[in-house]
Amino acid sequence: MISAFRAFPRRIQLFFGLSLLCTATIYVALHGKYRPRNVDDAWSLSYIQSYLKRGSPDDLVFGRSPPYGLRYFGKSHARVVGALLDVFGWTKTTAHLISTVFLLLAVALWIVLLRRLKFEPEFALIFGVLMLLYEPFFSAAQSGRPEAFVFLLISLASLLIVVEQRFFALIAAAIAFESHPVGVVSFIYLLAFALRDRVTIKANLTPTALASVTGGLAAGAAFYIALHSDALATFEVVFSSTADINPGGPSNFLFDYFFQTKFYRHIPELVLFLACAVLYIKWKLHRRAPLSAVFCGSLILFSIVFGRPNFHYTIYVYPAFLLLAIVVADTRRLARGLWLASFILLVPQYGVLYVKNRDVDFARQTAMLRAAIPRDSLTVVGGFNDWFAFLERPFVSHQYSGDFQKLKLDEFYLIEDDDFRRADSPARRHFCGYEIASTLQSFDVNQETFVVRKMRRRR
């Protein structure tokens, strides 16, 4: 790929270089500032810490019942990310950096994958740069959630199936599924690539190929059972406890991404992809590039069947949308125009976000909270972001939804933030049985007021 890049005309090299420099600048500038108040960071990383450091697969910080936690899914992600955090530090920004590395590896795999599918080097590089730029991928890189890790495994599985390493492709898909239930989409990817044309279909129906697939499925199932054998008896709770997080709206993560985000900023992307779909059909491109039709159709169907309205899952469908768009644009030699239009559309959005969050200093906030509370064994009750300041001691979120009384806290430290004062949090309802023993400190940081108090049970 490097040799192919060197073979490009100098102006194309400059175009690619400036694009990568712009994209890298966005990643560096917004690292730790993209979504500073993201509860999913504390959710995901607290699960990992509870599992690895406290020996429990359950949600100990927020008190939510299974399937929340790692009882049914997520132990693969936890062990990989936990091992890296042990080396580089248990901080939110480190977790985001790890996710960024996962995404970069996934993009590299996609570039290789497209070259194996006989796409031109420039096509593959444009695809890779746009992957880094569009928000579903950028969001996954700036998060402690497992999306970037799962997407890396799906990308690996896809490349393996294309190079006819079916056994290992199925194992990678199984690990993706174990890491998060939405990882089941990896099998949709494998089917799409296995059925992309008549020659491939015939090759995947031979006795040898079917034996490899069967062996891979068996090994993947054994892997899952080895990690979760104690939870199989209650596995149905995974399906019976999926509450709708978008009441009154369609249970679809694509709808959530395009129509539920702030300022409807993703509508232009939707218009772009719909226009490309129309041109794909009008120009009968399914005859020359059938993969795009199979890929898009199967993943859109998956979004309908899966039914979870969580915009984070859009990352699993966007490769199909981008592939369709570039195939259509490349038909009229407009792939670079699509690339430029994407930068014109998206870079200003990231610029506005940087201006809004440029003064956020989460490390300073964490240090001030840690310094405000005595180093003893009492539990700290605080906001979800406060968890990062107290990894080495008992911590319970304001949003704790379990039985607060069962924690048997005679005394604890309470961190009041703006959300706590505004909202009727679950834990707050139990505080009527407590009184303020002392107010330790009050300070402002990141445009928010924090008050630290010591609470004790009423006598």
Side-chain angles (χ1 to χ4, degrees):
M1 183 57 66
I2 294 176
S3 61
F5 179 77
R6 290 174 177 169
F8 291 150
R10 192 165 187 81
R11 61 187 178 83
I12 302 302
Q13 292 183 16
L14 181 62
F15 191 53
F16 274 107
L18 290 175
S19 300
L20 289 172
L21 179 61
C22 179
T23 305
T25 301
I26 292 171
Y27 274 75
V28 172
L30 287 176
H31 184 63
K33 301 178 187 295
Y34 166 66
R35 196 178 283 142
R37 294 187 54 76
N38 182 13
V39 66
D40 287 343
D41 286 327
W43 277 347
S44 299
L45 296 176
S46 68
Y47 297 165
I48 295 174
Q49 197 224 28
S50 295
Y51 172 59
L52 296 178
K53 306 298 185 183
R54 302 169 69 179
S56 174
D58 295 325
D59 180 3
L60 303 181
V61 174
F62 295 88
R64 298 183 300 173
S65 301
Y68 296 105
L70 305 181
R71 184 168 294 276
Y72 299 100
F73 296 97
K75 291 182 179 179
S76 301
H77 175 251
R79 292 182 179 182
V80 172
V81 173
L84 292 171
L85 290 173
D86 281 342
V87 173
F88 298 106
W90 280 77
T91 68
K92 184 161 67 168
T93 51
T94 300
H96 292 181
L97 184 60
I98 291 170
S99 292
T100 300
V101 172
F102 289 155
L103 179 65
L104 291 173
L105 293 173
V107 169
L109 289 175
W110 273 94
I111 292 174
V112 175
L113 170 63
L114 292 177
R115 292 294 293 129
R116 294 293 302 219
L117 292 174
K118 308 303 182 184
F119 287 100
E120 293 297 324
E122 184 177 345
F123 184 106
L125 284 175
I126 289 174
F127 186 90
V129 173
L130 291 184
M131 256 190 173
L132 292 172
L133 186 66
Y134 273 87
E135 193 168 1
F137 307 99
F138 183 82
S139 175
Q142 304 296 319
S143 171
R145 287 176 57 92
E147 270 73 34
F149 180 72
V150 174
F151 184 66
L152 172 60
L153 289 167
I154 291 173
S155 305
L156 176 61
S158 300
L159 177 59
L160 289 170
I161 201 72
V162 167
V163 299
E164 299 185 354
Q165 295 294 322
R166 301 173 185 88
F167 177 83
F168 295 106
L170 268 297
I171 291 178
I175 299 174
F177 172 67
E178 190 285 324
S179 298
H180 194 287
V182 76
V184 71
V185 73
S186 57
F187 298 100
I188 306 295
Y189 274 69
L190 297 188
L191 280 173
F193 285 112
L195 303 177
R196 66 185 183 274
D197 54 47
R198 293 180 181 178
V199 175
T200 308
I201 292 172
K202 290 182 180 179
N204 284 303
L205 290 178
T206 64
T208 301
L210 293 175
S212 295
V213 170
T214 302
L217 287 172
F223 173 79
Y224 181 88
I225 291 171
L227 290 179
H228 300 279
S229 58
D230 57 337
L232 292 178
T234 57
F235 192 77
E236 70 275 3
V237 74
V238 175
F239 304 99
S240 62
S241 302
T242 53
D244 190 351
I245 58 175
N246 185 27
S251 293
N252 185 282
F253 55 80
L254 291 178
F255 181 90
D256 194 54
Y257 177 78
F258 288 117
F259 298 106
Q260 298 293 323
T261 46
K262 289 181 179 179
F263 312 117
Y264 298 101
R265 64 186 184 275
H266 300 307
I267 295 296
E269 299 166 36
L270 177 61
V271 173
L272 171 65
F273 294 139
L274 288 176
C276 289
V278 170
L279 293 175
Y280 181 88
I281 295 170
K282 180 179 179 180
W283 294 343
K284 296 181 172 56
L285 295 181
H286 63 278
R287 297 174 182 174
R288 181 169 66 86
L291 175 60
S292 293
V294 175
F295 206 19
C296 277
S298 59
L299 289 176
I300 290 173
L301 180 62
F302 169 78
S303 76
I304 296 171
V305 174
F306 191 71
R308 289 286 290 168
N310 188 329
F311 67 89
H312 292 290
Y313 303 154
T314 308
I315 185 177
Y316 306 116
V317 179
Y318 248 58
F321 289 176
L322 286 180
L323 185 62
L324 175 71
I326 299 176
V327 164
V328 171
D330 195 52
T331 302
R332 295 295 187 269
R333 303 296 181 186
L334 294 174
R336 294 175 202 165
L338 172 66
W339 189 4
L340 184 60
S342 297
F343 271 82
I344 292 173
L345 171 65
L346 297 173
V347 171
Q349 296 184 31
Y350 291 126
V352 169
L353 193 59
Y354 173 76
V355 170
K356 178 183 176 182
N357 295 338
R358 67 183 182 277
D359 294 327
V360 170
D361 188 343
F362 186 70
R364 179 168 174 260
Q365 175 180 320
T366 299
M368 292 178 72
L369 286 170
R370 191 180 292 122
I373 293 182
R375 297 172 181 261
D376 54 29
S377 60
L378 292 184
T379 296
V380 178
V381 179
F384 56 84
N385 262 337
D386 304 341
W387 173 79
F388 290 95
F390 304 103
L391 298 173
E392 304 302 325
R393 63 187 298 167
F395 181 92
V396 175
S397 169
H398 294 156
Q399 299 177 349
Y400 190 83
S401 58
D403 188 345
F404 195 83
Q405 297 301 325
K406 287 185 178 180
L407 298 177
K408 298 179 180 179
L409 303 179
D410 292 325
E411 291 183 315
F412 63 89
Y413 296 111
L414 173 66
I415 302 173
E416 297 182 2
D417 56 20
D418 291 349
D419 284 346
F420 178 82
R421 286 182 286 272
R422 283 193 298 257
D424 182 23
S425 61
R428 187 175 183 177
R429 300 166 198 162
H430 301 288
F431 291 169
C432 58
Y434 293 85
E435 62 184 4
I436 299 173
S438 61
T439 297
L440 302 180
Q441 200 170 132
S442 176
F443 56 86
D444 293 332
V445 63
N446 293 332
Q447 299 181 345
E448 189 168 6
T449 299
F450 292 85
V451 179
V452 180
R453 307 184 193 277
K454 185 175 184 179
M455 307 293 290
R456 65 186 176 201
R457 193 183 299 275
R458 295 184 188 276
R459 305 300 181 188

